[in-house]
Amino acid sequence: MRRPLFSTLLPLLLLALMNLSKMIWAWTAPDCTIADSSLLPNLSYYIPFCSLAPGLHIFASCFNVKDLARTLTAVPRNIEALCLQGTVPILPDDAFGHFPSLKLLRLQLATISITSGTFQGLDQLQHLFFEHHAPCCQSLFLPPDALEPFRFLNSLSFQGYCLNNSQNIKLPKSLSHLILRHGCLTTLQELQELFPNLVPDSPPTASPKPWSSFLELMDLSANLQLNQVSVRALDGLQLHSLRLDDTPLNSLSLLDSGLLHLDSLSLVGTGIEKLPCNVTGHFELRALDLGRNQIQNVEHGDLSSCRSLELLSLHANGLQFLPTRFPSTLPQLQKLNLSTNKLGPTLVLPEGLVSSNLRVLDLSHNELCILPYGAFSSLPQLRELWLSGNNISNLSSGSLEGLKHLQTLDLSWNRIKMLNPGWLSSLPSLTSLNLLGTNLERISGRQLQGPQKLSHLQLGSPESLEIYPPWPPALLSLEIWTGYLTQFSISNEEPFLFLEYLTLQTTFMLLDPKNITVHFPSLRHLTLRGYSPYIFLSHQSQQFIPQFPLLEYLHFWSNHEGTEELHLYGMPRLRVLELGDMDFLGESRPVKLEVLLKELPQLQVLVLSNLGLRSLSISSFRSLGLLQLLLLNSEWAVELDSSLQELIPQLPQYVYFSDVNFSCQCESSWVGPWAIGAPNTFVYGLEKSICMANASDYSKTPLLSFLSGHCQYHPEFQGFLTSFILVLLLTILALLGCPKWPWLHHLRTFFHAWWWKLCGRGPRSQFLYDVFVSYCVQDQAWVLEKLVPTLEKPPPAGEGLRLCLPERDFGVGQDRMEAMTASMESSRATLCVLSCQALGSPWCNLELRLATYHLVAKPGITCLLLLFLEPIDPRQLRGYNRLTRWLQKEDYFYLPQGWVEWDAFCVRLRRRLKKAGQKRED
Ligand SMILES: *[C@@H]1O[C@H](CO)[C@@H](O)[C@H](O)[C@H]1NC(C)=O
Ligand SMILES: *[C@@H]1O[C@H](CO)[C@@H](O)[C@H](O)[C@H]1NC(C)=O
Ligand SMILES: *[C@@H]1O[C@H](CO)[C@@H](O)[C@H](O)[C@H]1NC(C)=O
Ligand SMILES: *[C@@H]1O[C@H](CO)[C@@H](O)[C@H](O)[C@H]1NC(C)=O
Ligand SMILES: *[C@@H]1O[C@H](CO)[C@@H](O)[C@H](O)[C@H]1NC(C)=O
Ligand SMILES: *[C@@H]1O[C@H](CO)[C@@H](O)[C@H](O)[C@H]1NC(C)=O
Ligand SMILES: *[C@@H]1O[C@H](CO)[C@@H](O)[C@H](O)[C@H]1NC(C)=O
């Protein structure tokens, strides 16, 4: 009789196990990166994801998508942006209905066809992109009403697609950006067939009407066959901006297209040789971008019809000089971009600019050597002057004469060796000065005197730079790059009172005098690169940077030196810490991560890159209660200690491994099930990680396949099964009255509780519930009618316990797994009602497994009670026990219905629960 019982039980258990692994799978996103870029703006440096739109942060980026439905089940519903790359031939109806808050959708799915209902439910969507990056072009079919669900669609983009199978697509009214790049348009007429409502049915009544911004931008760049504009192809269309870069279209043909309004035209790389002034005059263009063309000469005659221009770019045209009356014929011109031409070596700007409105002038990369006296004196309104990448070596105050409104001056990457005192004296409004990549060897604050409001300063030199006071008083941001040595002379008054951003890239740094202390009372962002960790030396008297009361962001990439002395003190507000290129295993004393991190209570983002960290254990993270994002990059032979399992319920929400390889060891075997089933954590990069058996193992074994092949894959569950069986055995023994065991368990539990307290992990004091009750549907009637009323009955008749019942207390639509974990966490005790049927239910098993898990992870502060409703004969089963180590005799309740005194049972149960409550509370 016993054997049949076992043989029915076992298949049930196996079935439960299979069901479980299926359910767990749903919590991971195997080929997706799920991230929140508001935590770490620079996240894309470490893990690849598609570009987002400003203001969108929570996104999923999925690769190699083949089965769309399967991929999407793993993606959380609240994402704002979704990028899919792979091959999916058809996007079915309601493909994205699960993501009502989606604002951006980027599809790189090769040849696709779309149905009318594909985008159903996406009424919040603002950006829709179809992209294909291989050589032109893939075909894409879009039914006429495909875009109808969109009410707020702002930009629609097709790149690398031919739409010539589609017709009559209705564009949403809200659209403002339409992009068809790298396509196979041959004539503009095709646009009308594709999008009949692009151009209005009846042309709007003639001009003066303020133009309605139906389309802000139409970008038709890189349609290599687009060379025809049939007459009235764009009849009545009003555009702000049109881009025809790299197309063979003759811009003159736009004149007959019927285009009603255009402000800005871009014709980059179209091979034109003359200013297209007829078009400019026709539309009264305000902006014209003619970059990468062959306009080597601007003839004066050309210009007369260009009078409306406010912005003109002649970037990279091989221009050698400008006609003498150039700017005066363009009275509206505010921004002139002449970068990457051949205007050097002596700058000769045309005369007669006195009345000019010019605000921005870009003369970068023009081989300029000499800026003659008063070169810019005729540009009194100039706000920005860009002179980067020239050959300027000698600057006198005369060269910049007359620029009294100039705010931004970029002189980076010139051959400046010397700055005369007073060279900035004619620039009283200057706020931003860039001197990166110069040949300066010393600079004194005296050379920067003149502008009162200088707030952004960049200094750099290939070798070394000595910097002397006084510092400009109002600095907000300071950036210094030297190849070798930076030497600061500091006077005692506090020079950096307002500084918020500091970037320092150097190999050595000297302070003069050595014993000075520099204060940065307002610093928020600190970036250090290439420098040795000794900068944070705390034990010596020479402290460079002692206190950062407001520092929120520290990015420190060192020079591969040991970090023995690195201490991060005095940064109570630090939120983001990026550490890179250090040697944590240093020759003398290896550094402990926990020591480094212990005084950073506010840390939310921790990025560790190339530090030679060999092992991570729970102690490293103990003090980081607020951590939300953990990123490991370029680490080698990492061991993930089994103690980390304990952290699982509190692990940061985002855990990323990029270019990390592990050591092949079964200590980490918990990682597999965790990465796949992490209920509250998005894990990225473990599937791709490899592991190494030893230093010379180049076999590139994938970590997860090593773990599943060599280690027990579900150790806890197996542990549970075996323990469960032994629990039953023990129950039998207890019933037989074996007196030998209980005191031993008592002692163990006591010891563990004591140990945990010693380690400073006290129990949480706030509990929502007294008891989380786990039971299966078949036992529900008994639980609801008998058990619950008894336990919930208010005093004095009962204990008035607060119970949590999944069926009753979980919110509608709440993720059951999450709710379960959370409820167990916030209950003093978990009571599992067990019967043969419960053992057959995957949910009951899962609940019991979680409870067991909590028990093992936090011995002494977790309470698990087992209530058996039926006799289950365990004697045929073998195995060892884990549960018995933690449970005491009084934790088992054996209650075949009607078998013992109900009242006595209740008294015992209440007493036990009360005791559990007291224990968790102290
Ligand atoms: C991002 O991080 C990389 C590496 O640290 C750095 O080179 C780059 O400048 C950063 N970019 C931004 C925008 O911060
Ligand atoms: C669409 O355009 C491509 C490229 O011009 C061409 O090869 C293809 O035959 C066209 N398809 C249809 C249906 O017109
Ligand atoms: C451009 O305009 C000028 C006068 O404004 C006219 O003489 C010339 O024919 C026009 N060129 C074309 C190609 O329309
Ligand atoms: C000038 O044009 C080039 C090329 O388009 C661009 O990179 C540069 O930023 C422009 N300069 C300014 C000041 O906008
Ligand atoms: C500018 O400097 C570069 C680098 O030394 C040199 O090759 C180039 O000939 C110089 N150009 C002029 C116009 O002097
Ligand atoms: C610097 O330029 C000025 C004219 O702008 C010239 O008088 C002076 O000799 C030059 N100095 C050097 C060292 O080239
Ligand atoms: C730094 O050292 C100099 C002498 O070496 C001494 O005069 C000065 O008081 C010291 N300053 C501080 C702040 O300790």
Side-chain angles (χ1 to χ4, degrees):
M1 195 228 133
R2 275 161 199 157
R3 201 166 259 283
L5 186 60
F6 170 51
S7 50
T8 48
L9 193 60
L10 192 65
L12 278 175
L13 287 174
L14 287 177
L15 195 72
L17 184 67
M18 276 158 56
N19 280 346
L20 272 181
S21 52
K22 250 190 237 153
M23 277 187 302
I24 291 169
W25 191 250
W27 305 322
T28 187
D31 295 315
C32 302
T33 312
I34 290 158
D36 181 347
S37 62
S38 64
L39 290 171
L40 186 62
N42 207 356
L43 194 57
S44 61
Y45 178 78
Y46 302 98
I47 55 178
F49 60 82
C50 66
S51 59
L52 302 173
L56 303 184
H57 299 306
I58 302 181
F59 65 90
S61 211
C62 304
F63 305 93
N64 300 320
V65 180
K66 295 205 174 65
D67 180 344
L68 185 70
R70 194 174 147 256
T71 301
L72 293 185
T73 50
V75 173
R77 284 160 159 257
N78 63 343
I79 48 164
E80 296 171 321
L82 174 64
C83 309
L84 299 170
Q85 182 265 320
T87 42
V88 175
I90 294 181
L91 290 179
D93 278 359
D94 203 17
F96 307 100
H98 287 308
F99 307 101
S101 49
L102 210 57
K103 302 227 167 61
L104 180 147
L105 180 59
R106 190 182 292 270
L107 301 170
Q108 301 176 6
L109 298 174
T111 305
I112 36 176
S113 73
I114 307 242
T115 70
S116 308
T118 295
F119 300 119
Q120 232 165 286
L122 289 185
D123 49 9
Q124 301 296 313
L125 201 77
Q126 293 171 4
H127 310 273
L128 176 61
F129 303 104
F130 297 89
E131 285 176 6
H132 182 76
H133 293 295
C136 173
C137 301
Q138 292 285 327
S139 85
L140 169 70
F141 175 72
L142 217 57
D145 51 355
L147 306 178
E148 244 162 36
F150 301 127
R151 290 191 294 132
F152 300 108
L153 195 71
N154 180 278
S155 32
L156 175 63
S157 165
F158 303 89
Q159 287 207 45
Y161 279 105
C162 280
L163 289 166
N164 52 1
N165 288 327
S166 314
Q167 263 190 348
N168 287 329
I169 301 169
K170 268 180 84 180
L171 294 176
K173 285 266 179 293
S174 54
L175 198 70
S176 75
H177 291 63
L178 177 63
I179 296 150
L180 292 107
R181 295 167 65 99
H182 292 278
C184 48
L185 286 178
T186 57
T187 117
L188 286 187
Q189 186 71 36
E190 289 164 33
L191 282 178
Q192 250 192 34
E193 288 153 23
L194 266 175
F195 309 112
N197 69 337
L198 179 66
V199 294
D201 293 336
S202 55
T205 46
S207 29
K209 156 185 173 187
W211 84 281
S212 62
S213 61
F214 177 44
L215 267 194
E216 185 84 8
L217 167 74
M218 186 152 84
D219 184 349
L220 306 175
S221 303
N223 279 279
L224 301 180
Q225 291 144 34
L226 178 61
N227 53 16
Q228 291 171 41
V229 180
S230 31
V231 176
R232 316 213 73 77
L234 301 175
D235 211 5
L237 182 62
Q238 310 197 53
L239 280 180
H240 173 66
S241 173
L242 176 62
R243 281 202 198 133
L244 296 168
D245 304 347
D246 299 302
T247 60
L249 195 75
N250 181 346
S251 61
L252 277 177
S253 52
L254 287 176
L255 296 179
D256 304 320
S257 66
L259 188 62
L260 211 60
H261 180 103
L262 188 64
D263 270 337
S264 163
L265 177 62
S266 176
L267 296 168
V268 174
T270 50
I272 50 179
E273 294 170 0
K274 293 184 72 174
L275 284 183
C277 274
N278 286 30
V279 180
T280 311
H282 176 86
F283 291 108
E284 300 195 341
L285 289 183
R286 307 221 307 243
L288 184 57
D289 189 346
L290 299 169
R292 283 197 289 113
N293 282 304
Q294 276 109 42
I295 306 174
Q296 289 174 4
N297 250 316
V298 180
E299 281 154 32
H300 184 233
D302 294 343
L303 287 166
S304 51
S305 44
C306 286
R307 297 178 63 87
S308 57
L309 285 181
E310 290 169 14
L311 187 158
L312 175 61
S313 172
L314 291 164
H315 165 83
N317 269 277
L319 268 181
Q320 296 184 354
F321 52 88
L322 294 170
T324 41
R325 289 176 53 217
F326 182 57
S328 61
T329 34
L330 300 176
Q332 313 286 328
L333 200 65
Q334 294 188 15
K335 180 167 176 176
L336 180 58
N337 191 335
L338 297 170
S339 56
T340 320
N341 281 297
K342 297 189 173 134
L343 297 174
T346 304
L347 180 67
V348 186
L349 281 183
E351 290 162 16
L353 300 183
V354 185
S355 66
S356 167
N357 275 319
L358 205 63
R359 307 284 163 110
V360 181
L361 178 59
D362 190 343
L363 291 166
S364 316
H365 304 282
N366 264 295
E367 298 166 13
L368 294 171
C369 297
I370 295 166
L371 303 178
Y373 185 88
F376 306 100
S377 58
S378 51
L379 301 172
Q381 298 298 324
L382 210 59
R383 302 287 197 276
E384 297 176 24
L385 179 56
W386 303 83
L387 289 165
S388 175
N390 284 298
N391 277 0
I392 301 166
S393 58
N394 172 12
L395 266 173
S396 63
S397 63
S399 321
L400 301 169
E401 193 66 39
L403 294 173
K404 61 175 187 293
H405 293 297
L406 197 73
Q407 293 167 353
T408 300
L409 177 59
D410 182 356
L411 284 165
S412 56
W413 309 102
N414 277 292
R415 326 181 121 235
I416 299 171
K417 275 210 169 73
M418 256 272 298
L419 292 170
N420 302 317
W423 71 290
L424 290 177
S425 60
S426 51
L427 308 178
S429 310
L430 198 69
T431 56
S432 167
L433 175 62
N434 187 343
L435 292 170
L436 288 177
T438 60
N439 292 356
L440 288 170
E441 282 168 4
R442 43 174 296 150
I443 184 163
S444 142
R446 238 162 254 116
Q447 290 163 306
L448 300 176
Q449 274 168 357
Q452 288 302 308
K453 289 182 248 166
L454 191 60
S455 53
H456 302 277
L457 180 60
Q458 290 161 290
L459 300 173
S461 172
E463 280 289 308
S464 59
L465 187 59
E466 293 166 34
I467 305 171
Y468 297 93
W471 287 89
L475 272 191
L476 289 179
S477 86
L478 174 62
E479 193 173 332
I480 298 173
W481 295 63
T482 65
Y484 182 64
L485 172 77
T486 308
Q487 178 174 339
F488 282 95
S489 291
I490 306 251
S491 60
N492 244 339
E493 80 269 17
E494 295 193 340
F496 299 111
L497 225 44
F498 304 105
L499 198 69
E500 291 183 12
Y501 294 82
L502 175 61
T503 299
L504 250 178
Q505 156 122 19
T506 185
T507 313
F508 294 102
M509 184 157 55
L510 288 180
L511 274 188
D512 183 27
K514 280 192 170 154
N515 55 1
I516 193 113
T517 294
V518 190
H519 292 281
F520 293 93
S522 310
L523 204 66
R524 288 171 197 282
H525 282 239
L526 175 59
T527 302
L528 295 168
R529 297 215 190 100
Y531 191 70
S532 118
Y534 290 100
I535 195 166
F536 286 111
L537 264 190
S538 59
H539 70 113
Q540 293 185 6
S541 57
Q542 43 180 327
Q543 258 181 32
F544 175 55
I545 295 165
Q547 292 283 317
F548 300 97
L550 298 184
L551 196 70
E552 289 177 25
Y553 178 97
L554 174 59
H555 172 106
F556 185 10
W557 282 51
S558 184
N559 58 352
H560 300 275
E561 277 185 25
T563 48
E564 296 89 50
E565 303 299 340
L566 180 61
H567 292 293
L568 302 175
Y569 292 134
M571 310 175 184
R573 297 247 195 128
L574 199 70
R575 273 188 323 110
V576 179
L577 176 62
E578 287 184 71
L579 293 178
D581 291 347
M582 293 173 196
D583 189 1
F584 266 53
L585 282 179
E587 315 86 62
S588 48
R589 270 190 297 153
V591 176
K592 290 238 162 73
L593 196 57
E594 54 265 38
V595 176
L596 202 60
L597 301 178
K598 75 171 185 250
E599 307 218 356
L600 304 174
Q602 300 292 321
L603 207 62
Q604 292 175 3
V605 175
L606 177 61
V607 178
L608 303 170
S609 180
N610 201 8
L611 302 183
L613 279 176
R614 282 298 163 75
S615 101
L616 285 181
S617 71
I618 186 164
S619 49
S620 318
F621 299 98
R622 194 152 272 157
S623 59
L624 302 179
L626 299 180
L627 200 64
Q628 291 181 39
L629 190 156
L630 171 65
L631 196 156
L632 284 192
N633 178 55
S634 290
E635 296 292 346
W636 194 74
V638 174
E639 293 169 12
L640 295 172
D641 192 280
S642 63
S643 66
L644 278 170
Q645 299 183 69
E646 252 170 64
L647 266 188
I648 287 178
Q650 292 107 45
L651 271 179
Q653 196 175 359
Y654 304 97
V655 177
Y656 304 121
F657 300 93
S658 118
D659 187 24
V660 174
N661 70 40
F662 294 86
S663 68
C664 295
Q665 49 152 10
C666 287
E667 270 274 274
S668 319
S669 61
W670 61 277
V671 164
W674 166 70
I676 292 165
N680 302 315
T681 300
F682 296 113
V683 186
Y684 166 81
L686 272 182
E687 302 90 44
K688 294 180 203 123
S689 300
I690 57 165
C691 73
M692 305 171 79
N694 52 46
S696 52
D697 174 12
Y698 295 106
S699 59
K700 301 209 162 155
T701 320
L703 174 71
L704 295 185
S705 65
F706 167 81
L707 295 178
S708 61
H710 295 78
C711 316
Q712 286 185 331
Y713 201 63
H714 282 291
E716 287 146 35
F717 191 74
Q718 286 173 3
F720 159 66
L721 284 183
T722 46
S723 12
F724 182 75
I725 287 148
L726 278 174
V727 168
L728 294 173
L729 245 173
L730 195 83
T731 316
I732 305 289
L733 285 178
L735 282 172
L736 291 175
C738 171
K740 225 163 58 187
W741 293 63
W743 66 267
L744 196 64
H745 300 302
H746 240 294
L747 195 66
R748 283 221 185 115
T749 317
F750 175 75
F751 179 76
H752 275 274
W754 170 80
W755 173 251
W756 282 106
K757 264 183 217 149
L758 197 71
C759 298
R761 284 177 69 87
R764 302 185 175 187
S765 57
Q766 295 291 320
F767 293 105
L768 272 175
Y769 303 106
D770 295 306
V771 192
F772 176 85
V773 186
S774 160
Y775 55 89
C776 74
V777 189
Q778 287 86 346
D779 302 324
Q780 184 165 332
W782 181 82
V783 169
L784 293 183
E785 285 160 24
K786 276 294 237 184
L787 186 68
V788 172
T790 312
L791 297 180
E792 284 189 336
K793 197 188 295 169
E799 294 293 330
L801 293 172
R802 285 163 301 172
L803 302 190
C804 175
L805 306 175
E807 257 65 35
R808 184 185 70 182
D809 298 320
F810 285 6
V812 178
Q814 201 175 358
D815 181 301
R816 182 158 177 167
M817 184 62 213
E818 271 176 30
M820 199 152 78
T821 319
S823 309
M824 279 189 188
E825 284 261 292
S826 51
S827 302
R828 286 178 213 275
T830 300
L831 175 67
C832 288
V833 178
L834 295 172
S835 63
C836 284
Q837 286 154 332
L839 289 184
S841 146
W843 279 116
C844 293
N845 268 308
L846 188 60
E847 283 166 5
L848 185 51
R849 182 187 160 207
L850 264 179
T852 315
Y853 169 72
H854 281 285
L855 186 74
V856 175
K858 296 178 200 157
I861 59 169
T862 311
C863 173
L864 173 64
L865 307 178
L866 301 178
L867 170 56
F868 298 96
L869 285 181
E870 286 176 87
I872 300 169
D873 192 337
R875 262 174 284 171
Q876 304 289 327
L877 311 180
R878 291 173 289 139
Y880 76 98
N881 192 337
R882 218 163 158 198
L883 264 186
T884 48
R885 278 200 273 153
W886 314 114
L887 294 189
Q888 305 160 32
K889 185 182 161 193
E890 61 194 80
D891 296 338
Y892 304 107
F893 297 88
Y894 195 74
L895 188 82
Q897 275 145 15
W899 187 64
V900 286
E901 285 266 319
W902 175 245
D903 288 342
F905 160 77
C906 290
V907 169
R908 218 184 111 213
L909 183 61
R910 286 199 299 253
R911 199 189 305 134
R912 178 67 189 97
L913 287 173
K914 200 169 166 190
K915 190 173 149 207
Q918 285 160 355
K919 197 158 165 197
R920 282 193 82 165
E921 213 90 293
D922 51 49

